[in-house]
Coordinates of all heavy atoms in Angstrom, one line a residue:
M1 N 0.9 -1.2 0.0 CA 0.0 0.0 0.0 C 0.9 1.2 0.0 O 2.0 1.2 0.6 CB -0.9 0.0 1.2 CG -2.1 0.9 1.2 SD -3.2 0.6 2.6 CE -4.1 -0.8 2.0
L2 N 0.4 2.3 -0.7 CA 1.2 3.5 -0.8 C 0.4 4.7 -0.3 O -0.8 4.8 -0.5 CB 1.5 3.7 -2.3 CG 2.0 5.1 -2.7 CD1 3.4 5.3 -2.1 CD2 2.1 5.2 -4.3
I3 N 1.1 5.5 0.5 CA 0.5 6.7 1.0 C 1.2 7.9 0.3 O 2.4 8.0 0.4 CB 0.6 6.9 2.5 CG1 0.1 5.7 3.2 CG2 -0.1 8.2 3.0 CD1 0.4 5.7 4.7
K4 N 0.4 8.7 -0.4 CA 1.0 9.9 -1.1 C 0.7 11.1 -0.3 O -0.5 11.4 -0.1 CB 0.5 10.0 -2.5 CG 0.8 8.9 -3.4 CD 0.2 9.1 -4.8 CE 0.6 8.0 -5.7 NZ 0.0 8.2 -7.1
F5 N 1.7 11.8 0.2 CA 1.5 13.1 0.9 C 1.8 14.3 0.0 O 2.8 14.3 -0.7 CB 2.4 13.1 2.1 CG 2.1 12.2 3.2 CD1 2.7 10.9 3.3 CD2 1.3 12.5 4.2 CE1 2.4 10.0 4.3 CE2 1.0 11.7 5.3 CZ 1.6 10.4 5.3
Y6 N 0.9 15.3 0.1 CA 1.1 16.5 -0.6 C 1.1 17.6 0.4 O 0.1 17.9 1.1 CB -0.1 16.8 -1.6 CG -0.3 15.6 -2.6 CD1 -1.2 14.6 -2.3 CD2 0.5 15.5 -3.7 CE1 -1.4 13.5 -3.2 CE2 0.3 14.5 -4.6 CZ -0.7 13.5 -4.3 OH -0.9 12.4 -5.2
I7 N 2.2 18.2 0.6 CA 2.4 19.2 1.7 C 2.8 20.6 1.0 O 3.6 20.6 0.1 CB 3.6 18.8 2.6 CG1 3.2 17.4 3.2 CG2 3.8 19.8 3.7 CD1 4.4 16.7 3.8
K8 N 2.1 21.6 1.4 CA 2.4 22.9 0.9 C 2.3 24.0 2.0 O 1.7 23.8 3.0 CB 1.4 23.3 -0.3 CG 0.0 23.4 0.2 CD -0.9 23.6 -1.0 CE -2.3 23.7 -0.6 NZ -3.3 23.9 -1.6
P9 N 3.0 25.1 1.7 CA 2.9 26.2 2.7 C 1.5 26.7 2.9 O 0.7 26.8 1.9 CB 3.8 27.3 2.1 CG 4.5 26.7 1.0 CD 3.8 25.5 0.6
R10 N 1.1 27.1 4.1 CA -0.2 27.6 4.4 C -0.3 29.0 3.7 O 0.7 29.7 3.5 CB -0.4 27.8 5.8 CG -0.7 26.6 6.6 CD -1.0 26.8 8.0 NE -1.2 25.5 8.6 CZ -2.2 25.3 9.5 NH1 -3.0 26.3 9.8 NH2 -2.4 24.1 9.9
K11 N -1.6 29.4 3.3 CA -1.8 30.7 2.8 C -1.3 31.7 3.8 O -1.5 31.6 5.0 CB -3.3 30.9 2.5 CG -3.7 30.3 1.2 CD -5.1 30.8 0.8 CE -5.3 30.4 -0.6 NZ -6.4 30.9 -1.2
G12 N -0.7 32.7 3.3 CA -0.2 33.8 4.1 C 1.2 33.6 4.7 O 1.8 34.5 5.2
V13 N 1.7 32.3 4.5 CA 3.1 32.1 5.0 C 4.0 32.4 3.8 O 3.8 32.0 2.7 CB 3.3 30.6 5.4 CG1 4.7 30.2 5.6 CG2 2.4 30.3 6.6
L14 N 5.1 33.1 4.1 CA 6.1 33.5 3.1 C 6.7 32.2 2.5 O 7.1 31.3 3.2 CB 7.2 34.3 3.8 CG 8.3 34.8 2.8 CD1 7.7 35.8 1.8 CD2 9.4 35.5 3.6
D15 N 6.7 32.2 1.1 CA 7.2 31.0 0.4 C 8.3 31.5 -0.6 O 8.1 31.8 -1.7 CB 6.1 30.4 -0.4 CG 6.5 29.2 -1.2 OD1 7.7 28.8 -1.1 OD2 5.7 28.7 -2.0
P16 N 9.5 31.7 0.0 CA 10.6 32.3 -0.9 C 10.9 31.4 -2.1 O 11.3 31.9 -3.2 CB 11.8 32.3 0.1 CG 11.4 31.7 1.3 CD 10.0 31.4 1.3
Q17 N 10.8 30.1 -2.0 CA 11.1 29.2 -3.1 C 10.1 29.4 -4.2 O 10.4 29.5 -5.4 CB 11.2 27.8 -2.6 CG 11.8 26.8 -3.7 CD 12.0 25.4 -3.1 OE1 11.6 25.1 -2.0 NE2 12.6 24.6 -3.9
G18 N 8.8 29.5 -3.8 CA 7.7 29.8 -4.7 C 7.9 31.1 -5.4 O 7.7 31.2 -6.6
R19 N 8.3 32.1 -4.6 CA 8.5 33.4 -5.3 C 9.7 33.4 -6.3 O 9.6 34.0 -7.4 CB 8.8 34.5 -4.2 CG 9.1 35.8 -4.8 CD 9.3 36.9 -3.7 NE 7.9 37.3 -3.4 CZ 7.6 38.1 -2.4 NH1 8.6 38.6 -1.7 NH2 6.4 38.5 -2.2
A20 N 10.7 32.7 -5.9 CA 11.9 32.5 -6.9 C 11.5 31.8 -8.2 O 11.8 32.2 -9.3 CB 13.0 31.8 -6.2
V21 N 10.7 30.8 -8.0 CA 10.2 30.1 -9.2 C 9.3 31.0 -10.0 O 9.4 31.0 -11.3 CB 9.5 28.7 -8.8 CG1 8.8 28.1 -10.0 CG2 10.5 27.8 -8.2
S22 N 8.4 31.7 -9.4 CA 7.5 32.6 -10.1 C 8.3 33.6 -10.9 O 8.0 33.9 -12.0 CB 6.6 33.3 -9.0 OG 5.8 34.2 -9.6
E23 N 9.3 34.3 -10.2 CA 10.1 35.3 -10.9 C 10.9 34.7 -12.1 O 11.0 35.3 -13.1 CB 11.0 36.0 -9.9 CG 10.3 36.8 -8.9 CD 9.4 37.9 -9.5 OE1 9.8 38.5 -10.5 OE2 8.3 38.0 -9.0
S24 N 11.4 33.5 -11.9 CA 12.1 32.8 -12.9 C 11.2 32.5 -14.1 O 11.6 32.8 -15.3 CB 12.7 31.5 -12.4 OG 13.4 30.8 -13.4
L25 N 10.0 32.0 -13.9 CA 9.1 31.8 -15.0 C 8.7 33.0 -15.7 O 8.7 33.0 -16.9 CB 7.8 31.1 -14.4 CG 8.0 29.6 -13.9 CD1 6.7 29.1 -13.2 CD2 8.3 28.7 -15.1
K26 N 8.5 34.1 -15.0 CA 8.2 35.4 -15.6 C 9.3 35.9 -16.5 O 9.1 36.4 -17.6 CB 7.8 36.4 -14.6 CG 6.5 36.2 -13.9 CD 6.2 37.2 -12.8 CE 4.9 36.8 -12.1 NZ 4.7 37.7 -10.9
S27 N 10.6 35.7 -16.0 CA 11.7 36.1 -16.8 C 11.9 35.3 -18.0 O 12.6 35.7 -19.0 CB 13.0 36.1 -15.9 OG 13.4 34.8 -15.7
L28 N 11.3 34.1 -18.0 CA 11.4 33.3 -19.2 C 10.3 33.5 -20.2 O 10.1 32.8 -21.2 CB 11.4 31.8 -18.8 CG 12.7 31.3 -18.0 CD1 12.5 29.9 -17.5 CD2 13.9 31.4 -19.0
G29 N 9.5 34.5 -19.9 CA 8.4 34.9 -20.8 C 7.0 34.4 -20.4 O 6.1 34.6 -21.2
F30 N 6.9 33.7 -19.3 CA 5.6 33.2 -18.9 C 4.9 34.3 -18.1 O 4.8 34.2 -16.9 CB 5.7 31.9 -18.1 CG 6.3 30.8 -18.9 CD1 7.6 30.4 -18.7 CD2 5.5 30.1 -19.8 CE1 8.2 29.4 -19.5 CE2 6.1 29.0 -20.5 CZ 7.4 28.7 -20.4
S31 N 4.5 35.4 -18.8 CA 4.0 36.6 -18.1 C 2.7 36.4 -17.5 O 2.3 37.3 -16.6 CB 4.0 37.7 -19.2 OG 3.1 37.4 -20.2
D32 N 2.0 35.4 -17.8 CA 0.6 35.3 -17.1 C 0.7 34.4 -15.8 O -0.3 34.2 -15.2 CB -0.4 34.6 -18.1 CG 0.1 33.3 -18.7 OD1 1.3 33.0 -18.5 OD2 -0.8 32.6 -19.3
V33 N 1.9 34.1 -15.4 CA 2.1 33.4 -14.1 C 1.7 34.4 -13.0 O 2.2 35.5 -12.9 CB 3.5 32.9 -13.8 CG1 3.7 32.4 -12.4 CG2 3.8 31.8 -14.9
K34 N 0.7 34.0 -12.2 CA 0.2 34.9 -11.1 C 0.9 34.6 -9.8 O 1.3 35.5 -9.1 CB -1.3 34.7 -11.0 CG -2.0 35.6 -10.0 CD -3.5 35.4 -9.9 CE -4.1 36.3 -8.9 NZ -5.5 36.0 -8.7
D35 N 1.0 33.3 -9.5 CA 1.7 32.9 -8.2 C 2.1 31.5 -8.3 O 1.6 30.7 -9.0 CB 0.6 33.1 -7.0 CG 1.3 33.0 -5.7 OD1 2.5 33.2 -5.5 OD2 0.5 32.7 -4.7
V36 N 3.2 31.2 -7.5 CA 3.7 29.8 -7.4 C 3.8 29.4 -5.9 O 4.4 30.2 -5.2 CB 5.0 29.6 -8.2 CG1 5.6 28.2 -8.0 CG2 4.9 30.0 -9.6
R37 N 3.4 28.3 -5.6 CA 3.6 27.8 -4.2 C 4.4 26.5 -4.4 O 4.0 25.6 -5.1 CB 2.3 27.5 -3.5 CG 1.3 28.7 -3.4 CD 1.8 29.8 -2.6 NE 1.7 29.4 -1.2 CZ 2.1 30.2 -0.2 NH1 2.7 31.3 -0.4 NH2 1.9 29.8 1.1
V38 N 5.5 26.4 -3.7 CA 6.3 25.2 -3.7 C 6.2 24.4 -2.5 O 6.3 24.9 -1.4 CB 7.8 25.5 -4.0 CG1 8.7 24.3 -3.9 CG2 8.0 26.3 -5.3
G39 N 5.8 23.1 -2.6 CA 5.6 22.2 -1.5 C 6.5 21.0 -1.6 O 7.5 21.0 -2.3
K40 N 6.0 20.0 -0.9 CA 6.7 18.7 -0.9 C 5.7 17.6 -1.3 O 4.5 17.6 -1.0 CB 7.2 18.3 0.5 CG 8.2 19.3 1.0 CD 8.7 18.9 2.4 CE 7.7 19.4 3.4 NZ 8.1 19.2 4.8
Y41 N 6.3 16.6 -2.0 CA 5.5 15.4 -2.3 C 6.3 14.2 -1.7 O 7.5 14.1 -2.0 CB 5.4 15.2 -3.8 CG 4.8 13.9 -4.2 CD1 3.5 13.5 -4.0 CD2 5.7 12.9 -4.8 CE1 3.0 12.3 -4.4 CE2 5.2 11.7 -5.2 CZ 3.9 11.4 -5.0 OH 3.4 10.2 -5.4
I42 N 5.6 13.4 -0.9 CA 6.3 12.3 -0.2 C 5.5 11.0 -0.4 O 4.3 11.0 -0.3 CB 6.4 12.5 1.3 CG1 7.2 13.8 1.6 CG2 7.1 11.4 2.0 CD1 7.2 14.3 3.0
E43 N 6.2 9.9 -0.8 CA 5.6 8.6 -0.9 C 6.1 7.7 0.2 O 7.3 7.6 0.4 CB 6.0 8.0 -2.3 CG 5.4 8.6 -3.5 CD 5.7 7.9 -4.8 OE1 6.6 7.0 -4.8 OE2 5.1 8.2 -5.8
V44 N 5.1 7.1 0.9 CA 5.5 6.2 2.0 C 4.8 4.8 1.6 O 3.6 4.8 1.5 CB 5.0 6.7 3.3 CG1 5.3 5.7 4.4 CG2 5.6 8.0 3.7
Y45 N 5.6 3.8 1.5 CA 5.1 2.5 1.2 C 5.0 1.7 2.5 O 5.9 1.7 3.3 CB 6.1 1.7 0.3 CG 6.2 2.4 -1.1 CD1 7.1 3.4 -1.3 CD2 5.3 2.0 -2.1 CE1 7.1 4.0 -2.6 CE2 5.4 2.5 -3.4 CZ 6.3 3.6 -3.6 OH 6.4 4.1 -4.8
I46 N 3.8 1.1 2.8 CA 3.6 0.4 4.0 C 3.1 -1.0 3.6 O 2.6 -1.2 2.5 CB 2.6 1.1 4.9 CG1 1.3 1.3 4.3 CG2 3.2 2.4 5.4 CD1 0.2 1.8 5.2
E47 N 3.2 -1.9 4.6 CA 2.8 -3.3 4.3 C 1.4 -3.6 4.8 O 0.8 -4.6 4.5 CB 3.8 -4.3 5.0 CG 5.1 -4.3 4.3 CD 6.1 -5.3 4.9 OE1 5.6 -6.3 5.5 OE2 7.3 -5.2 4.7
N48 N 0.8 -2.6 5.4 CA -0.6 -2.7 5.9 C -1.6 -3.0 4.8 O -1.5 -2.3 3.8 CB -0.9 -1.4 6.7 CG -2.2 -1.5 7.4 OD1 -2.9 -2.5 7.3 ND2 -2.6 -0.5 8.1
K49 N -2.5 -3.8 5.0 CA -3.6 -4.1 4.0 C -4.9 -3.5 4.4 O -5.8 -3.5 3.6 CB -3.8 -5.6 3.8 CG -2.5 -6.4 3.5 CD -2.4 -6.6 2.0 CE -1.3 -7.5 1.7 NZ -0.4 -7.0 0.7
D50 N -5.0 -3.0 5.6 CA -6.3 -2.4 6.1 C -6.3 -0.9 5.8 O -5.5 -0.1 6.4 CB -6.4 -2.6 7.6 CG -7.6 -2.1 8.2 OD1 -8.2 -1.1 7.6 OD2 -8.0 -2.5 9.3
K51 N -7.1 -0.4 4.9 CA -7.1 1.0 4.5 C -7.5 1.9 5.7 O -6.9 3.0 5.8 CB -8.1 1.2 3.4 CG -8.0 2.6 2.7 CD -8.8 2.7 1.5 CE -8.6 4.1 0.9 NZ -9.3 4.2 -0.4
G52 N -8.4 1.5 6.5 CA -8.7 2.4 7.7 C -7.5 2.6 8.6 O -7.3 3.7 9.1
K53 N -6.8 1.5 8.8 CA -5.6 1.6 9.7 C -4.5 2.5 9.0 O -3.8 3.2 9.6 CB -5.0 0.2 10.0 CG -3.9 0.2 11.0 CD -3.5 -1.2 11.4 CE -2.3 -1.1 12.4 NZ -1.9 -2.4 12.8
A54 N -4.4 2.3 7.7 CA -3.4 3.1 6.9 C -3.8 4.6 7.0 O -2.9 5.4 7.1 CB -3.4 2.7 5.4
V55 N -5.0 4.9 7.0 CA -5.4 6.3 7.1 C -5.0 6.9 8.5 O -4.5 8.0 8.6 CB -7.0 6.5 6.9 CG1 -7.4 7.9 7.4 CG2 -7.3 6.2 5.5
E56 N -5.3 6.1 9.5 CA -4.8 6.5 10.9 C -3.3 6.7 11.0 O -2.8 7.6 11.6 CB -5.4 5.5 11.9 CG -6.9 5.5 12.1 CD -7.5 6.9 12.3 OE1 -6.9 7.7 13.2 OE2 -8.4 7.3 11.6
E57 N -2.6 5.7 10.4 CA -1.1 5.8 10.4 C -0.7 7.1 9.6 O 0.3 7.7 10.1 CB -0.5 4.6 9.8 CG -0.5 3.4 10.7 CD 0.3 2.2 10.1 OE1 0.5 2.1 8.9 OE2 0.7 1.4 10.9
A58 N -1.3 7.3 8.5 CA -0.9 8.5 7.7 C -1.1 9.8 8.5 O -0.2 10.7 8.5 CB -1.7 8.6 6.4
K59 N -2.2 9.9 9.2 CA -2.5 11.1 10.0 C -1.4 11.2 11.1 O -0.9 12.3 11.4 CB -3.8 11.0 10.6 CG -5.0 11.2 9.7 CD -6.3 11.1 10.4 CE -7.5 11.2 9.4 NZ -8.8 10.9 10.0
E60 N -1.0 10.1 11.7 CA 0.0 10.2 12.8 C 1.4 10.5 12.2 O 2.1 11.2 12.8 CB 0.0 8.8 13.5 CG 0.5 8.9 14.9 CD 0.2 7.6 15.7 OE1 -0.9 7.2 15.6 OE2 1.1 7.2 16.4
M61 N 1.7 9.9 11.0 CA 3.0 10.3 10.4 C 3.1 11.7 10.1 O 4.1 12.4 10.3 CB 3.1 9.5 9.1 CG 3.4 8.0 9.2 SD 3.4 7.3 7.5 CE 3.3 5.6 7.9
A62 N 2.0 12.3 9.6 CA 2.0 13.7 9.2 C 2.2 14.5 10.5 O 3.0 15.5 10.5 CB 0.7 14.1 8.5
K63 N 1.4 14.2 11.5 CA 1.4 15.0 12.8 C 2.8 14.9 13.5 O 3.3 15.9 13.9 CB 0.4 14.5 13.7 CG 0.3 15.2 15.0 CD -0.9 14.6 15.8 CE -0.9 15.3 17.2 NZ -2.0 14.7 18.0
K64 N 3.4 13.7 13.5 CA 4.6 13.5 14.3 C 5.9 13.8 13.5 O 6.9 14.1 14.1 CB 4.7 12.0 14.8 CG 3.7 11.8 15.9 CD 3.8 10.3 16.4 CE 2.9 10.1 17.6 NZ 3.0 8.7 18.1
A65 N 5.9 13.6 12.2 CA 7.1 13.7 11.5 C 7.2 14.5 10.2 O 8.2 15.0 9.8 CB 7.6 12.2 11.1
L66 N 6.1 14.5 9.4 CA 6.2 15.0 8.1 C 5.8 16.5 7.9 O 6.2 17.1 6.9 CB 5.4 14.1 7.1 CG 5.8 12.6 7.1 CD1 4.9 11.9 6.2 CD2 7.2 12.5 6.7
V67 N 4.9 16.9 8.7 CA 4.2 18.2 8.5 C 4.5 19.1 9.7 O 4.3 18.7 10.8 CB 2.7 18.1 8.3 CG1 2.0 19.4 8.1 CG2 2.5 17.2 7.1
N68 N 4.8 20.4 9.4 CA 4.9 21.4 10.4 C 3.6 22.1 10.5 O 3.3 23.0 9.6 CB 6.1 22.4 10.1 CG 6.2 23.5 11.2 OD1 5.3 23.7 11.9 ND2 7.3 24.1 11.2
D69 N 2.7 21.8 11.4 CA 1.4 22.3 11.5 C 1.3 23.9 11.5 O 0.3 24.4 11.2 CB 0.7 21.8 12.8 CG 0.2 20.4 12.7 OD1 0.3 19.8 11.6 OD2 -0.2 19.8 13.7
L70 N 2.3 24.5 12.0 CA 2.3 26.0 12.1 C 2.4 26.7 10.7 O 1.8 27.7 10.5 CB 3.5 26.5 12.9 CG 3.4 26.0 14.4 CD1 4.7 26.5 15.1 CD2 2.2 26.6 15.1
I71 N 3.1 26.0 9.8 CA 3.3 26.7 8.5 C 2.9 25.9 7.3 O 3.0 26.4 6.2 CB 4.8 27.1 8.3 CG1 5.7 25.9 8.4 CG2 5.1 28.2 9.4 CD1 7.1 26.2 8.0
E72 N 2.4 24.7 7.5 CA 2.1 23.8 6.3 C 0.7 23.2 6.4 O 0.3 22.9 7.5 CB 3.2 22.7 6.2 CG 4.6 23.1 5.9 CD 5.6 22.0 5.9 OE1 5.5 21.1 6.8 OE2 6.5 22.0 5.1
D73 N 0.1 23.0 5.3 CA -1.1 22.3 5.1 C -0.8 21.0 4.4 O 0.2 20.9 3.6 CB -2.2 23.0 4.3 CG -2.8 24.2 5.1 OD1 -2.9 24.0 6.3 OD2 -3.1 25.2 4.4
Y74 N -1.6 20.0 4.5 CA -1.3 18.7 3.8 C -2.6 18.0 3.4 O -3.6 18.2 4.0 CB -0.4 17.8 4.6 CG -1.1 17.1 5.7 CD1 -1.5 15.8 5.6 CD2 -1.3 17.7 7.0 CE1 -2.1 15.1 6.6 CE2 -1.9 17.1 8.0 CZ -2.4 15.8 7.8 OH -3.0 15.1 8.8
E75 N -2.4 17.1 2.5 CA -3.4 16.2 2.1 C -2.7 14.9 1.8 O -1.5 14.9 1.6 CB -4.1 16.6 0.8 CG -4.9 17.9 0.9 CD -5.4 18.4 -0.5 OE1 -5.2 17.7 -1.5 OE2 -6.0 19.4 -0.5
F76 N -3.4 13.8 1.9 CA -2.8 12.5 1.5 C -3.8 11.6 0.8 O -5.0 11.9 1.0 CB -2.2 11.8 2.7 CG -3.2 11.4 3.8 CD1 -3.8 10.1 3.7 CD2 -3.5 12.2 4.8 CE1 -4.7 9.7 4.6 CE2 -4.4 11.8 5.8 CZ -5.0 10.6 5.7
E77 N -3.4 10.7 0.1 CA -4.2 9.7 -0.5 C -3.6 8.3 -0.3 O -2.4 8.2 -0.3 CB -4.5 10.0 -2.0 CG -3.3 9.8 -2.9 CD -3.7 10.1 -4.4 OE1 -4.5 9.3 -4.9 OE2 -3.1 11.0 -4.9
I78 N -4.5 7.3 -0.2 CA -4.0 5.9 0.0 C -4.2 5.2 -1.4 O -5.3 5.3 -1.9 CB -4.8 5.2 1.1 CG1 -4.9 6.0 2.4 CG2 -4.3 3.8 1.3 CD1 -3.6 6.1 3.1
V79 N -3.2 4.6 -1.8 CA -3.2 3.9 -3.1 C -3.0 2.4 -2.8 O -2.0 2.1 -2.2 CB -2.2 4.4 -4.1 CG1 -2.2 3.6 -5.4 CG2 -2.3 5.9 -4.3
E80 N -3.9 1.6 -3.1 CA -3.8 0.1 -2.8 C -3.1 -0.6 -3.9 O -3.0 -0.2 -5.0 CB -5.2 -0.5 -2.6 CG -5.8 0.2 -1.4 CD -7.2 -0.4 -1.1 OE1 -7.3 -1.6 -1.1 OE2 -8.1 0.4 -0.9

């Protein structure tokens, strides 16, 4: 089973990497770029076969290790 985490800066949190990418894209001629937010994508493979338990584990992984609740939002999906 695979857990896919999508982590991004919360709205209102300064995102210097996103700003740098945005400015770079504009300098390359992509003038209609309005904003860029740069986050993280993490894949975690687990041996669990119970989707309900995997969801609980994913929430705990995010809370304890993968996500900084103060500055990041996240979503995850379970792929069987």
Side-chain angles (χ1 to χ4, degrees):
M1 195 171 283
L2 168 63
I3 306 171
K4 296 179 177 180
F5 289 92
Y6 306 94
I7 303 166
K8 63 183 179 182
R10 287 183 177 225
K11 278 193 167 189
V13 171
L14 184 63
D15 180 8
Q17 193 174 6
R19 177 173 278 174
V21 172
S22 177
E23 293 304 317
S24 178
L25 289 171
K26 288 176 186 174
S27 74
L28 292 171
F30 298 99
S31 58
D32 56 348
V33 172
K34 183 177 177 185
D35 192 21
V36 176
R37 305 292 285 174
V38 175
K40 300 181 276 189
Y41 169 72
I42 300 172
E43 292 184 344
V44 177
Y45 295 87
I46 61 173
E47 292 187 17
N48 186 0
K49 302 264 189 231
D50 180 339
K51 190 170 183 175
K53 188 174 178 182
V55 167
E56 293 306 313
E57 282 187 338
K59 290 177 182 176
E60 205 165 315
M61 287 177 194
K63 182 179 176 182
K64 290 183 175 177
L66 303 177
V67 177
N68 181 340
D69 285 350
L70 296 175
I71 61 171
E72 296 174 321
D73 288 324
Y74 75 98
E75 297 174 0
F76 65 87
E77 67 177 297
I78 308 291
V79 180
E80 296 180 47

